[in-house]
Amino acid sequence: MRFGLRTRRFLLVAAIFWATLSVSAFAAERRGGNGQNGDWVGTWACSPQLAEPANVPPEPGFADSTLRQIVHVSIGGRQIRVRFSNAFGATALTIPSAHVAVAAGEGAIRPDSDHALTFHGQPSVTIPAGALIYSDPLDFALAPLSDLAITMRLNGTPDGFTAHPGSRTTSYLVAGDFVAASDLPKAVHVDHWYYVNGVDVLAQSRSAAIVTLGDSITDGSHSTTNGNGRWPDGLARRLHANKKTANIAVLNEGIGGNRLLLDGLGPNALARFDRDVLAQAGVRWLVVLEGVNDLGTRDLTPQTKATGENDPAALAERLIAALDQIIVRAHAHGILVYGVTILPFEGAFYFTPEGEANRQTINNWIRTSGRFDAVIDMDATVRDPQHPSRFSAAVDSGDHLHPGDAGYKIMSDSIDLKLFAKRK
């Protein structure tokens, strides 16, 4: 069949249009959304760890029980999906059922908001050892800065509990099947998260997420339990209150005791980077506050002596190289990286003059190297002007290492929100 010139031109234009549309749809599919109607963006996350003996679940345990966990989200959306992790399980984890609902305080939920999650259309799921899994998308009107209750039925667990001990949030554990119960008055209270790993929302266009990668200072140590007083929480509230940044989420990937180079209570920052940063949905920015534990534990563990990290002259360069690796790996995925200067820690139990000298060396590199896309000089914000190696009195929680609620607010209030108008 022959076509005239005008017809051939029309067919060529139509072919290009449909090819472009297909590529756009494919790109949206890879991002997880449908392009026109929004993309998946993380609104809450935590870093998985192997629960040490002090943080395993109390009685009645997980043999035949219901676990209700509360998470405080940053941005909202009209659909959600929940991520569960068995990262540190040596065997498979089966979740017979799981529900989500709007939290109503003290372990209660708003009954009209309760929905069962499904996994590939099924009410239960088995997660292989070392793996994670997402629930199916669920129509759910999730409000920004709200509390979501995630309730799991458990009937036995794998060897190795995947947890986040520093939840600063109360979870509720009760024997039996109460996954849809509106309240759990007889529940045991435990201030840890288990197996929950993230919540994503199908957000409006141009929504994106910030990952805050850090140690106990980012995890919120010494903040009030259930108060959502961590500095990333304060940042999320400020972003939401600003019309230009209201669609930006904050994902807290802090771990108490975390180090750049060596494992502590959780994997070192370089080892967990792919899982805790690159695998998060919709990430556009990475804010890094790490290093004080490497400086402080230099002489406290056999690991540091065995690897030569107790050489103070070499440690600063090794930490700088680790931070540079984080920049390289994030940039390879189009993520802007903001470096936070290491906070003062004189008076803390592991302070040494050598550690302070290395802190100054690293902070000078953070400020002047030009390797970061921007610098957040939190050291300048929180230090005592008369004694710069210490916290100011307004910031210090009392242990000279962690800010308290007031100190975390000072930190979050100091961050320039214009930094999050920049996009690659």
Side-chain angles (χ1 to χ4, degrees), residues 351-412:
F351 176 84
T352 62
E354 294 85 1
E356 174 61 17
N358 277 338
R359 187 179 76 90
Q360 295 295 343
T361 297
I362 296 164
N363 281 352
N364 182 63
W365 178 82
I366 291 171
R367 293 182 180 109
T368 65
S369 68
R371 292 291 293 140
F372 288 100
D373 296 291
V375 173
I376 300 172
D377 197 350
M378 206 67 78
D379 169 40
T381 297
V382 303
R383 69 193 179 202
D384 181 347
Q386 306 304 316
H387 198 149
S389 58
R390 288 181 177 268
F391 279 146
S392 70
V395 170
D396 199 345
S397 69
D399 72 352
H400 314 300
L401 179 63
H402 300 96
D405 288 335
Y408 288 128
K409 185 177 187 301
I410 290 169
M411 290 175 67
S412 62

Side-chain angles (χ1 to χ4, degrees), residues 15-28:
I16 292 171
F17 171 78
W18 286 111
T20 303
L21 188 63
S22 297
V23 170
S24 299
F26 175 72

Side-chain angles (χ1 to χ4, degrees), residues 100-119:
V100 292
V102 175
E106 292 295 321
I109 61 168
R110 206 179 73 196
D112 63 320
S113 69
D114 183 62
H115 289 78
L117 293 174
T118 60
F119 305 87

Side-chain angles (χ1 to χ4, degrees), residues 125-328:
V125 66
T126 296
I127 308 174
L132 58 79
I133 198 163
Y134 287 91
S135 71
D136 297 333
L138 173 70
D139 289 335
F140 190 98
L142 184 66
L145 303 178
S146 63
D147 290 338
L148 180 70
I150 304 170
T151 308
M152 306 164 58
R153 175 82 170 106
L154 292 164
N155 193 7
T157 52
D159 298 330
F161 293 97
T162 298
H164 187 86
S167 65
R168 328 288 169 207
T169 304
T170 302
S171 298
Y172 304 87
L173 178 63
V174 62
D177 185 358
F178 295 93
V179 72
S182 61
D183 199 1
L184 300 175
K186 297 182 179 179
V188 174
H189 294 194
V190 54
D191 293 338
H192 307 311
W193 287 312
Y194 299 94
Y195 303 118
V196 291
N197 184 232
V199 178
D200 296 348
V201 294
L202 191 63
Q204 61 182 329
S205 61
R206 292 189 60 77
S207 295
I210 304 163
V211 169
T212 59
L213 183 69
D215 49 38
S216 56
I217 295 171
T218 297
D219 205 21
S221 180
H222 289 62
S223 65
T224 300
T225 298
N226 299 316
N228 300 309
R230 315 164 190 85
W231 71 261
D233 295 321
L235 175 59
R237 287 189 285 270
R238 291 187 61 223
L239 290 165
H240 178 69
N242 182 350
K243 184 177 180 180
K244 293 182 179 179
T245 58
N247 61 344
I248 296 174
V250 181
L251 306 178
N252 189 332
E253 299 288 358
I255 291 180
N258 200 229
R259 293 183 284 190
L260 282 163
L261 298 173
L262 293 174
D263 293 351
L265 297 181
N268 68 77
L270 291 179
R272 67 188 181 96
F273 183 82
D274 286 11
R275 177 178 61 212
D276 289 352
V277 179
L278 300 184
Q280 305 304 313
V283 178
R284 295 292 180 270
W285 303 273
L286 170 63
V287 179
V288 183
L289 175 53
E290 287 266 13
V292 69
N293 289 322
D294 296 80
L295 298 175
T297 59
R298 179 178 62 86
D299 289 324
L300 297 183
T301 63
Q303 279 180 298
T304 58
K305 297 177 182 179
T307 60
E309 280 189 67
N310 61 330
D311 177 0
L315 181 57
E317 288 306 314
R318 293 194 68 207
L319 294 175
I320 287 170
L323 289 169
D324 198 59
Q325 280 295 303
I326 286 174
I327 295 167
V328 169

Side-chain angles (χ1 to χ4, degrees), residues 1-8 11:
M1 181 181 296
R2 293 187 176 182
F3 297 100
L5 179 60
R6 182 174 295 178
T7 302
R8 289 200 300 270
L11 291 173

